[in-house]
Amino acid sequence: LAAGQTLPELKRVLTKQYQAQVDNLTVTLILKVMKANLAYIFGEVGQPDSYLMEGNLTVSQLVSRAGGLNDTAEKSTVLVISRDKNRKPWGRLVNLKKVISDGDISQDLVLKQYDIVYVPKSRIARANLFVDQWINRMIPNNLIGQYELGGSVFSGSLIEQKPLID
Protein backbone atom coordinates (compact mmCIF):
# COMPACT_ATOMS: atom_id res chain seq x y z
CA LEU A 1 0.00 0.00 0.00
CA ALA A 2 2.81 2.41 0.83
CA ALA A 3 5.09 1.56 -2.09
CA GLY A 4 5.92 4.53 -4.28
CA GLN A 5 4.09 7.10 -2.14
CA THR A 6 5.42 10.06 -0.19
CA LEU A 7 4.57 10.42 3.50
CA PRO A 8 1.92 13.15 2.87
CA GLU A 9 0.28 11.04 0.14
CA LEU A 10 0.22 7.97 2.35
CA LYS A 11 -1.14 10.02 5.28
CA ARG A 12 -4.07 11.23 3.13
CA VAL A 13 -4.90 7.69 1.97
CA LEU A 14 -4.73 6.18 5.48
CA THR A 15 -6.66 9.03 7.11
CA LYS A 16 -9.43 8.70 4.51
CA GLN A 17 -9.66 4.92 4.98
CA TYR A 18 -9.67 5.09 8.81
CA GLN A 19 -12.13 8.02 8.93
CA ALA A 20 -14.65 5.80 7.19
CA GLN A 21 -14.56 3.62 10.33
CA VAL A 22 -13.72 6.12 13.11
CA ASP A 23 -14.90 9.78 13.14
CA ASN A 24 -12.35 12.59 13.61
CA LEU A 25 -9.36 10.28 13.43
CA THR A 26 -6.08 11.73 12.24
CA VAL A 27 -3.19 9.53 11.23
CA THR A 28 0.39 10.58 11.99
CA LEU A 29 3.25 8.89 10.17
CA ILE A 30 6.82 8.83 11.43
CA LEU A 31 9.64 7.70 9.17
CA LYS A 32 11.87 5.49 11.30
CA VAL A 33 14.12 3.89 8.71
CA MET A 34 15.05 5.09 5.26
CA LYS A 35 16.86 2.69 3.00
CA ALA A 36 19.87 4.12 1.26
CA ASN A 37 20.34 4.31 -2.46
CA LEU A 38 22.56 1.26 -2.93
CA ALA A 39 23.95 -0.61 -5.90
CA TYR A 40 25.70 -3.96 -5.59
CA ILE A 41 28.69 -5.29 -7.50
CA PHE A 42 30.37 -8.69 -7.39
CA GLY A 43 32.54 -10.90 -9.52
CA GLU A 44 35.91 -9.92 -10.94
CA VAL A 45 36.40 -6.53 -9.27
CA GLY A 46 38.84 -5.42 -6.60
CA GLN A 47 36.30 -4.91 -3.77
CA PRO A 48 32.90 -6.53 -4.38
CA ASP A 49 30.32 -4.93 -2.07
CA SER A 50 27.32 -2.61 -1.92
CA TYR A 51 28.00 1.05 -2.69
CA LEU A 52 26.03 4.20 -1.94
CA MET A 53 24.72 5.93 -5.06
CA GLU A 54 25.09 9.68 -4.69
CA GLY A 55 23.31 11.05 -7.75
CA ASN A 56 23.59 9.29 -11.08
CA LEU A 57 26.06 6.42 -11.11
CA THR A 58 27.09 4.45 -14.20
CA VAL A 59 28.40 0.91 -14.43
CA SER A 60 31.96 2.10 -15.12
CA GLN A 61 31.83 4.47 -12.14
CA LEU A 62 30.64 1.66 -9.85
CA VAL A 63 33.41 -0.61 -11.16
CA SER A 64 35.89 2.16 -10.39
CA ARG A 65 34.55 2.53 -6.83
CA ALA A 66 34.87 -1.23 -6.41
CA GLY A 67 38.61 -1.10 -7.05
CA GLY A 68 38.51 -1.58 -10.81
CA LEU A 69 38.42 -4.70 -12.92
CA ASN A 70 40.64 -7.66 -12.07
CA ASP A 71 42.94 -9.01 -14.78
CA THR A 72 40.63 -12.03 -14.90
CA ALA A 73 37.51 -9.97 -15.79
CA GLU A 74 35.52 -10.41 -18.98
CA LYS A 75 34.94 -6.77 -19.92
CA SER A 76 32.56 -7.30 -22.84
CA THR A 77 29.73 -9.10 -21.00
CA VAL A 78 29.09 -7.30 -17.70
CA LEU A 79 25.59 -8.16 -16.47
CA VAL A 80 23.32 -5.56 -14.84
CA ILE A 81 20.25 -6.97 -13.07
CA SER A 82 17.42 -4.52 -12.36
CA ARG A 83 13.79 -4.85 -11.35
CA ASP A 84 10.84 -3.55 -13.35
CA LYS A 85 7.74 -1.84 -11.91
CA ASN A 86 6.32 -5.24 -10.96
CA ARG A 87 9.57 -6.12 -9.12
CA LYS A 88 10.43 -8.76 -11.74
CA PRO A 89 14.17 -9.06 -12.40
CA TRP A 90 15.53 -8.37 -15.87
CA GLY A 91 19.07 -8.22 -17.13
CA ARG A 92 21.08 -6.14 -19.56
CA LEU A 93 24.59 -6.67 -20.86
CA VAL A 94 27.12 -3.84 -20.81
CA ASN A 95 30.24 -3.91 -22.98
CA LEU A 96 32.76 -2.17 -20.72
CA LYS A 97 35.50 -3.03 -23.22
CA LYS A 98 33.94 -0.54 -25.67
CA VAL A 99 33.47 2.03 -22.91
CA ILE A 100 37.11 1.77 -21.81
CA SER A 101 38.94 1.27 -25.10
CA ASP A 102 36.70 3.16 -27.56
CA GLY A 103 35.15 5.74 -25.23
CA ASP A 104 31.67 4.55 -26.26
CA ILE A 105 29.66 5.89 -23.32
CA SER A 106 26.40 4.78 -24.94
CA GLN A 107 27.31 1.33 -23.55
CA ASP A 108 27.63 2.70 -20.00
CA LEU A 109 24.25 2.34 -18.27
CA VAL A 110 23.04 4.61 -15.48
CA LEU A 111 22.21 2.41 -12.50
CA LYS A 112 19.04 2.48 -10.44
CA GLN A 113 18.56 1.84 -6.75
CA TYR A 114 19.38 -1.76 -5.79
CA ASP A 115 20.77 -2.72 -9.21
CA ILE A 116 23.19 -5.64 -9.19
CA VAL A 117 26.29 -5.63 -11.38
CA TYR A 118 28.10 -8.90 -12.07
CA VAL A 119 31.52 -8.92 -13.75
CA PRO A 120 32.20 -12.48 -14.95
CA LYS A 121 35.53 -14.26 -15.37
CA SER A 122 37.18 -14.22 -18.78
CA ARG A 123 37.35 -17.42 -20.82
CA ILE A 124 41.04 -17.94 -19.97
CA ALA A 125 40.36 -17.31 -16.26
CA ARG A 126 37.61 -19.96 -16.34
CA ALA A 127 40.01 -22.37 -18.08
CA ASN A 128 42.70 -21.70 -15.47
CA LEU A 129 40.17 -22.32 -12.70
CA PHE A 130 39.13 -25.59 -14.37
CA VAL A 131 42.75 -26.77 -14.64
CA ASP A 132 43.43 -25.82 -11.04
CA GLN A 133 40.30 -27.50 -9.64
CA TRP A 134 40.14 -30.59 -11.86
CA ILE A 135 43.78 -31.32 -12.56
CA ASN A 136 46.10 -29.73 -10.03
CA ARG A 137 43.92 -30.53 -7.02
CA MET A 138 42.88 -33.98 -8.27
CA ILE A 139 46.36 -35.36 -8.95
CA PRO A 140 48.44 -35.77 -5.80
CA ASN A 141 51.77 -33.91 -5.87
CA ASN A 142 53.75 -37.08 -5.23
CA LEU A 143 52.41 -38.58 -8.49
CA ILE A 144 53.43 -35.60 -10.58
CA GLY A 145 56.97 -35.21 -9.28
CA GLN A 146 59.45 -33.15 -11.22
CA TYR A 147 59.24 -32.83 -14.97
CA GLU A 148 60.92 -30.72 -17.59
CA LEU A 149 59.06 -28.17 -19.70
CA GLY A 150 60.95 -25.98 -22.13
CA GLY A 151 64.27 -26.24 -20.33
CA SER A 152 62.84 -25.36 -16.88
CA VAL A 153 62.11 -27.89 -14.17
CA PHE A 154 58.73 -27.67 -12.47
CA SER A 155 57.42 -29.73 -9.62
CA GLY A 156 54.11 -30.38 -7.95
CA SER A 157 51.76 -28.49 -10.24
CA LEU A 158 50.75 -28.34 -13.87
CA ILE A 159 50.33 -24.56 -13.52
CA GLU A 160 53.42 -22.89 -12.17
CA GLN A 161 53.16 -19.38 -10.79
CA LYS A 162 56.81 -18.57 -11.55
CA PRO A 163 57.76 -16.95 -14.88
CA LEU A 164 59.28 -19.24 -17.49
CA ILE A 165 61.93 -16.65 -18.38
CA ASP A 166 63.95 -15.01 -15.63
Side-chain angles (χ1 to χ4, degrees):
L1 179 66
Q5 295 188 34
T6 64
L7 283 178
E9 292 170 342
L10 185 59
K11 179 180 177 177
R12 280 193 297 275
V13 170
L14 290 174
T15 299
K16 187 175 180 180
Q17 287 182 358
Y18 279 111
Q19 280 182 347
Q21 297 174 1
V22 179
D23 290 337
N24 297 321
L25 178 71
T26 302
V27 174
T28 302
L29 299 175
I30 300 170
L31 182 61
K32 290 179 105 178
V33 177
M34 183 172 167
K35 292 185 180 178
N37 239 2
L38 296 176
Y40 301 86
I41 186 166
F42 69 107
E44 297 303 301
V45 292
Q47 300 165 344
D49 204 347
S50 62
Y51 290 88
L52 184 62
M53 294 175 36
E54 299 160 352
N56 290 337
L57 184 69
T58 65
V59 174
S60 64
Q61 290 169 333
L62 181 62
V63 166
S64 177
R65 277 195 191 172
L69 295 167
N70 294 344
D71 291 339
T72 54
E74 175 56 57
K75 299 169 189 72
S76 60
T77 56
V78 175
L79 177 64
V80 177
I81 302 169
S82 300
R83 294 200 178 265
D84 64 15
K85 291 180 181 179
N86 298 322
R87 308 271 309 137
K88 300 279 187 210
W90 64 288
R92 297 165 287 172
L93 289 178
V94 174
N95 189 338
L96 277 184
K97 186 175 184 178
K98 286 187 177 181
V99 174
I100 295 166
S101 62
D102 301 342
D104 183 1
I105 60 171
S106 69
Q107 296 285 319
D108 204 8
L109 295 176
V110 175
L111 298 170
K112 295 185 283 182
Q113 184 179 28
Y114 303 120
D115 276 358
I116 300 168
V117 176
Y118 171 65
V119 180
K121 287 185 181 296
S122 66
R123 181 177 294 165
I124 191 70
R126 290 191 311 268
N128 283 343
L129 181 63
F130 174 83
V131 169
D132 186 48
Q133 290 178 340
W134 290 95
I135 298 174
N136 287 343
R137 294 185 190 174
M138 297 292 285
I139 301 173
N141 287 343
N142 61 352
L143 292 181
I144 294 176
Q146 290 191 341
Y147 55 92
E148 188 174 325
L149 179 65
S152 299
V153 176
F154 295 92
S155 63
S157 175
L158 294 178
I159 294 180
E160 188 67 33
Q161 300 300 322
K162 298 175 189 170
L164 288 175
I165 300 172
D166 290 328

